Amino acid sequence: MAAGSECVQNECPAGKYGNAVGLTTAECSGSAREGYYTPAGSQNATAVACPAGTFNPNLGGGYNSSCTPCPMGSYCEEAAVAPIFFARVKR
């Protein structure tokens, strides 16, 4: 480091994660996986699972609001990527 310069540490932003030392961009190591979200400073792509009753089909969720409530007539398990709809039996 040059004389007089400071090292500034920044945590990975919400939606990203950092699982290595010496990262140099805000892209960090990658994005949160579908079904999960990563708050700022997360160290893996599956930091927080969307709770049962919600789902997240997108990469890069950074907040609990990334998890969408399952629609009526369906259910979602923890870390769901898509809702599961009940099959209707025709009579």
Side-chain angles (χ1 to χ4, degrees), residues 12-89:
C12 291
K16 302 290 183 182
Y17 69 97
N19 64 358
V21 296
L23 298 171
T24 58
T25 71
E27 286 301 307
C28 296
S29 299
S31 297
R33 285 186 39 197
E34 299 97 331
Y36 296 85
Y37 64 96
T38 55
S42 294
Q43 295 181 1
N44 62 65
T46 57
V48 183
C50 287
T54 66
F55 70 104
N56 178 12
N58 303 308
L59 290 171
Y63 306 95
N64 63 350
S65 60
S66 302
C67 304
T68 303
C70 288
M72 195 177 309
S74 70
Y75 70 98
C76 297
E77 297 175 347
E78 182 179 70
V81 174
I84 299 169
F85 287 88
F86 295 101
R88 290 188 177 194
V89 178

